[in-house]
């Protein structure tokens, strides 16, 4: 736990499950947030990972669950790395390229830490749930207490482990809180099958992401959604 | 390189060894530069409506077919290419056009895969084409050879696969016109193609590309030595026309950056301009050389026929105007590759193929390789491209249950 900076200690002490996983960077498998996502995916299902980076999750899903995985990634370096591993990944953009896919083509559409960077999050979410029977979506929670405190006490846009960039450099153009996201799900008539409050490293909190406490205490959130 | 007794060093059509090869049953010859005559009983019905048969295909094979016949890779060549993919060209003596990619231990590993490359129908390296003899007249076909299409080329290749007893190809790979054939294979024979790699290509020839081809064709037919296409009978060759066609086409294979890097405005063997029309600039001298060497190895009428085949290619038009229809229900794994500086087959064309494949939820990878070498990049040393192709083939082999690299 020594690697966790002070900004996260409160959350780590208050709510996280004791760190069973190795810290990021250790060779003990993939990041904990990706492990949590993988745990929600049924074996041998069809998965579209939107913003798949170098294909770490897809590779893990193939190795451990024989998942028929596809990926979309914006950065050419990420695509190149993924395809060179034998993964089915295309260079593309969540905002423009999801519309090509037919309805129900996948069992799961995954969007990890990307929703807040899209131009049209509502459209993207609708597309995810059109393409996939279920969607797995994670995002930084702007309602996290430190973000609120930062804004109230310093009068400046929060910069934290989950939101590392200054306002003028950030790709995050549509930040939201857990409560905001739930409102959108309700409006779209989407069923929330599971919701998790996460700390800055994606470790699952004991807090239920249903409660308002999570909106205050969770740095990130992860939702498993289903079309009604 | 080969233990086949009937390998050919020359390109003769009236070849008795090839004529003896039965269409089915017995083993077809393997190794470099083989011939097979197909379509004895069942001629090839061409898209233009004419039946062609019997017809000859020249081909080379590398490596060995496994017992299950599941490890065959078909490599499709480009407009002026041939079946000498990994071994030296008989006319020029230059290494095979894809020797960096195809060979023992290479990306298309002939230690693991049975690799076959077939000279396309209409070409001039041994397959039936306008320079070969029309069996009906005993004279060269010339312009009496029927107009062929990319689809016809692929149908002819499929006949050869039938004759080899290969039901399904592990992969079809090709760049430029070879990529068109790869797409056509995946469209026409979806159950016979496990993996498809269209490189630096498109689902249809653009207006600009048709325009460039027309410049080349007009250069050829304007040459008095073309003789209405019957130059062989007159013991002539339209060398000037063909050379100009090649010069124009060659520009489209490069990029502005590549030309600038290679030549800039540097002068050729002189310190100052001559106020004349000699090749003052290096780039002029280079193009003239490209043109003059091309005529030694390529037939002018073949150039007309094959450019036409590319012009006619349009997978969208053939499928109700919607490209996705061409791949409906496909189970083939695709890897689409483009090059950032290719303006002949720009990335946008590859992306259109990818979008169509997404629309049918096909299994597709897509990489745009950053390169300043233009269209020809697919023939050159491009490590990023090679890594992509290697990774895709390894992944596909794993999914099909073929041995991994090094497991032989």
């Amino acid at each position: 736990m020594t690697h966790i900076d002070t900004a996260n200690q409160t959350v780590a002490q208050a709510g996280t499950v004791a760190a069973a996983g190795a810290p990021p960077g250790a060779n003990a498998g993939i990041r904990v947030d990706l492990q949590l996502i993988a745990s929600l995916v049924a074996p041998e299902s069809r998965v579209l990972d939107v913003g798949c980076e170098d294909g770490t999750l897809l590779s893990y899903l193939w190795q451990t669950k024989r998942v028929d995985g596809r990926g979309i990634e914006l950065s050419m370096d990420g695509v190149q790395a993924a395809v060179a591993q034998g993964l089915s990944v295309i260079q593309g953009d969540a905002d423009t390229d999801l519309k090509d896919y037919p309805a129900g083509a996948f069992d799961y559409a995954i969007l990890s830490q990307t929703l807040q960077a899209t131009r049209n999050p509502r459209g993207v979410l609708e597309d995810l749930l059109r393409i996939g029977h279920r969607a797995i979506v994670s995002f930084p929670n702007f309602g996290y207490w430190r973000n609120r405190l930062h804004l109230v006490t310093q009068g400046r846009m929060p910069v934290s482990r989950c939101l590392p960039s200054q306002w003028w450099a950030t790709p995050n153009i549509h930040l939201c809180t857990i409560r905001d996201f739930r409102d959108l799900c309700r409006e779209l008539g989407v069923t929330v099958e599971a919701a998790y409050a996460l700390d800055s490293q994606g470790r699952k909190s004991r807090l239920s992401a249903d409660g308002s406490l999570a909106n205050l205490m969770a740095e990130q959130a992860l939702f498993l959604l289903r079309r009604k | 390189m080969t233990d086949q007794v009937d390998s050919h060093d020359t390109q003769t059509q009236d070849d008795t060894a090839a004529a003896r090869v039965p269409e089915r049953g017995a083993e077809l010859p393997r190794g470099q530069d083989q011939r097979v005559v197909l379509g004895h009983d069942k001629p090839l019905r061409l898209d233009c409506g004419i039946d062609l048969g019997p017809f000859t295909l020249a081909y080379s094979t590398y490596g060995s077919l496994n017992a299950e016949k599941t490890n065959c890779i078909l490599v499709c060549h480009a407009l002026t290419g041939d079946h000498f993919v990994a071994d030296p060209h008989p006319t020029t003596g230059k290494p095979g056009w894809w020797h960096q990619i195809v060979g023992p231990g290479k990306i298309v590993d002939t230690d693991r895969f049975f690799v076959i490359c077939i000279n396309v129908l209409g070409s001039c390296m041994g397959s039936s084409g306008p320079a070969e003899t029309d069996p009906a007249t005993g004279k060269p076909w010339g312009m009496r050879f029927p107009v062929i299409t990319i689809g016809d080329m692929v149908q002819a290749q499929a006949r050869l696969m039938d004759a080899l007893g290969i039901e399904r190809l592990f992969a079809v790979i090709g760049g430029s016109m070879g990529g068109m054939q790869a797409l056509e294979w995946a469209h026409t024979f979806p159950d016979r193609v496990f993996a498809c790699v269209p490189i630096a290509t498109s689902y249809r020839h653009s207006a600009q590309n048709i325009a460039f081809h027309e410049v080349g064709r007009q250069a050829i037919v304007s040459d008095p030595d073309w003789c209405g296409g019957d130059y062989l009978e007159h013991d002539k060759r339209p060398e000037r026309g063909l050379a100009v066609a090649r010069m124009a086409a060659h520009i489209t294979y490069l990029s502005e950056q590549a030309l600038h890097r290679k030549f800039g405005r540097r002068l050729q063997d002189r310190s100052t301009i001559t106020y004349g029309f000699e090749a003052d600039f290096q780039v002029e001298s280079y193009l003239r050389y490209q043109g003059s060497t091309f005529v030694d190895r390529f037939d002018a009428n073949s150039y007309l026929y094959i450019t036409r085949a590319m012009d006619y290619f349009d997978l969208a038009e053939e499928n109700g105007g919607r490209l996705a229809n061409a791949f409906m229900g496909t189970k083939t794994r695709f890897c689409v590759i483009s090059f950032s500086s290719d303006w002949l087959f720009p990335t946008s064309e590859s992306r259109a193929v990818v979008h169509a494949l997404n629309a049918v939820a096909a299994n597709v990878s897509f990489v745009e390789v950053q390169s300043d070498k233009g269209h020809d990049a697919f023939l050159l040393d491009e490590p990023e491209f090679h890594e992509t192709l290697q990774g895709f083939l390894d992944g596909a082999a794993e999914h099909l249950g073929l041995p991994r690299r090094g497991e032989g």
Side-chain angles (χ1 to χ4, degrees):
Chain A
M1 300 294 282
T2 50
H3 62 280
I4 297 179
D5 63 26
T6 48
N8 303 307
Q9 272 180 4
T10 316
V11 166
Q13 287 157 2
T16 44
V17 177
N27 294 325
I30 60 168
R31 291 195 327 246
V32 282
D33 58 325
L34 297 182
Q35 281 177 30
L36 176 58
I37 291 172
S39 73
L40 300 173
V41 173
E44 295 180 13
S45 54
R46 297 163 301 160
V47 169
L48 179 67
D49 186 359
V50 183
C52 67
E53 299 179 334
D54 64 0
T56 303
L57 176 63
L58 287 171
S59 176
Y60 182 77
L61 287 171
W62 163 248
Q63 298 300 337
T64 59
K65 299 193 168 185
R66 283 298 184 250
V67 156
D68 178 9
R70 319 282 170 76
I72 301 180
E73 169 58 31
L74 196 55
S75 100
M76 218 52 233
D77 287 345
V79 176
Q80 168 74 28
V83 177
Q85 289 178 63
L87 300 167
S88 302
V89 172
I90 67 165
Q91 200 269 334
D93 183 335
D95 275 304
T96 56
D97 292 327
L98 292 180
K99 61 176 173 15
D100 293 329
Y101 291 90
F106 295 93
D107 298 307
Y108 304 89
I110 298 171
L111 187 71
S112 166
Q113 299 295 331
T114 305
L115 187 69
Q116 75 283 353
T118 63
R119 284 190 294 280
N120 179 8
R122 181 188 165 125
V124 167
L125 196 57
E126 283 178 312
D127 267 337
L128 290 175
L129 283 154
R130 179 182 61 80
I131 297 165
H133 295 294
R134 288 183 167 82
I136 299 172
V137 179
S138 70
F139 56 90
N141 172 28
F142 204 72
Y144 174 53
W145 71 272
R146 278 192 171 271
N147 294 340
R148 302 189 194 194
L149 191 66
H150 197 108
L151 200 55
V152 167
T153 59
Q154 302 193 33
R156 292 196 171 91
M157 287 299 283
V159 175
S160 67
R161 191 152 176 153
C162 278
L163 301 169
S165 304
Q166 291 289 345
W167 65 272
W168 42 265
T170 183
N172 300 325
I173 53 176
H174 284 118
L175 288 159
C176 70
T177 70
I178 290 177
R179 194 175 279 170
D180 288 329
F181 185 76
R182 285 186 164 282
D183 288 347
L184 179 58
C185 289
R186 206 170 299 124
E187 203 177 316
L188 295 177
V190 169
T191 303
V192 176
E193 288 199 323
Y196 304 95
L198 310 177
D199 72 2
S200 68
Q201 291 169 48
R203 281 187 295 249
K204 205 156 62 171
S205 156
R206 280 202 203 89
L207 287 174
S208 158
D210 298 332
S212 57
L213 198 54
N215 197 31
L216 191 63
M217 303 306 286
E219 275 206 84
Q220 308 180 59
L222 178 75
F223 281 77
L224 175 62
L225 308 171
R226 183 170 53 80
R227 269 184 276 162
K228 266 187 182 152
Chain B
M1 292 287 281
T2 171
D3 55 5
Q4 296 296 338
V5 288
D6 48 355
S7 285
H8 298 251
D9 295 318
T10 53
Q11 306 138 39
T12 49
Q13 173 74 11
D14 53 340
D15 179 88
T16 49
R20 281 202 303 274
V21 175
E23 195 159 327
R24 278 173 207 279
E27 282 280 290
L28 288 187
R30 314 266 170 96
Q32 273 91 68
D33 200 17
Q34 304 295 338
R35 300 286 184 282
V36 63
V37 179
L38 298 166
H40 287 293
D41 348 322
K42 193 178 155 215
L44 198 63
R45 171 55 63 91
L46 302 173
D47 283 334
C48 65
I50 293 172
D51 285 340
L52 182 69
F55 61 92
T56 304
L57 290 181
Y59 63 98
S60 288
T61 74
Y62 310 83
S64 40
L65 194 58
N66 63 11
E68 303 79 30
K69 300 189 172 187
T70 54
N71 69 333
C72 180
I73 294 182
L74 172 65
V75 176
C76 300
H77 69 71
L79 167 55
T80 65
D82 47 51
H83 51 294
F84 299 100
V85 59
D87 46 318
H89 192 280
T91 309
T92 65
K94 286 185 177 171
W97 57 270
W98 234 11
H99 69 278
Q100 311 99 311
I101 303 263
V102 181
K106 294 184 180 174
I107 297 164
V108 176
D109 186 354
T110 53
D111 289 338
R112 298 162 63 209
F113 300 114
F114 176 67
V115 179
I116 182 164
C117 186
I118 307 168
N119 189 219
V120 296
L121 205 59
S123 187
C124 53
M125 292 304 290
S127 292
S128 292
E132 302 292 344
T133 305
D134 178 356
T137 63
K139 292 181 185 173
W141 281 96
M143 300 309 282
R144 290 167 296 278
F145 193 75
V147 168
I148 42 114
T149 64
I150 300 292
D152 295 332
M153 294 175 186
V154 166
Q155 291 291 344
Q157 290 164 352
R159 292 286 187 95
L160 179 44
M161 292 304 149
D162 293 342
L164 285 164
I166 295 169
E167 186 48 44
R168 186 163 73 155
L169 296 162
F170 164 61
V172 183
I173 305 175
S176 197
M177 187 183 82
M180 290 178 168
Q181 294 164 64
L183 288 172
E184 177 74 23
W185 260 98
H187 161 59
T188 311
F189 301 109
D191 300 332
R192 298 187 73 170
V193 181
F194 182 75
C196 175
V197 190
I199 303 161
T201 191
S202 176
Y203 64 99
R204 57 130 172 77
H205 222 210
S206 68
Q208 178 174 261
N209 291 359
I210 295 169
F212 274 111
H213 275 176
E214 178 60 4
V215 170
R217 284 190 296 262
Q218 286 303 319
I220 290 168
V221 303
S222 307
D223 187 327
D225 287 345
W226 182 61
C227 305
D230 291 329
Y231 48 86
L232 291 176
E233 288 170 63
H234 294 84
D235 204 22
K236 288 181 175 171
R237 285 169 67 87
E239 290 184 350
R240 285 162 299 172
L242 182 60
V244 170
R246 178 62 171 182
M247 288 167 74
H250 198 82
I251 300 167
T252 69
Y253 305 150
L254 304 173
S255 67
E256 201 275 333
Q257 303 101 294
L259 274 178
H260 182 76
R261 190 182 53 236
K262 248 177 162 166
F263 309 109
R265 288 180 52 84
R266 284 189 296 278
L267 301 178
Q268 178 71 29
D269 302 329
R270 64 202 69 189
S271 53
T272 179
I273 52 173
T274 62
Y275 296 96
F277 296 95
E278 293 301 306
D280 276 358
F281 294 98
Q282 285 182 5
V283 66
E284 295 173 293
S285 172
Y286 169 77
L287 278 183
R288 288 182 187 191
Y289 174 77
Q290 291 296 330
S292 67
T293 54
F294 181 63
V295 301
D296 294 335
R297 69 172 181 91
F298 214 80
D299 175 63
N301 284 341
S302 274
Y303 196 85
L304 301 180
Y305 277 86
I306 300 177
T307 54
R308 205 68 184 139
M310 291 178 76
D311 291 353
Y312 281 166
F313 187 62
D314 188 343
L315 268 185
E317 181 66 27
E318 280 174 41
N319 290 277
R322 184 171 177 262
L323 181 58
N325 292 346
F327 304 109
M328 204 66 85
T330 184
K331 296 274 182 285
T332 301
R333 299 171 72 88
F334 289 85
C335 183
V336 179
I337 301 173
S338 69
F339 296 90
S340 57
S341 57
D342 183 350
W343 55 277
L344 192 63
F345 292 99
T347 292
S348 56
E349 304 271 311
S350 287
R351 209 178 278 281
V353 173
V354 171
H355 286 172
L357 290 167
N358 283 343
V360 295
N363 190 321
V364 54
S365 297
F366 165 53
V367 172
E368 180 196 43
V369 176
Q370 295 301 310
S371 162
D372 71 351
K373 293 175 186 152
H375 180 61
D376 262 356
F378 84 94
L379 296 167
L380 303 172
D381 187 25
E382 286 284 354
E384 210 180 294
F385 160 46
H386 293 179
E387 279 166 34
T388 300
L389 185 57
Q390 178 82 76
F392 174 76
L393 289 177
D394 285 349
E398 186 185 347
H399 279 267
L400 190 61
L402 293 175
R404 288 160 171 271
R405 237 182 309 164
E407 288 177 3

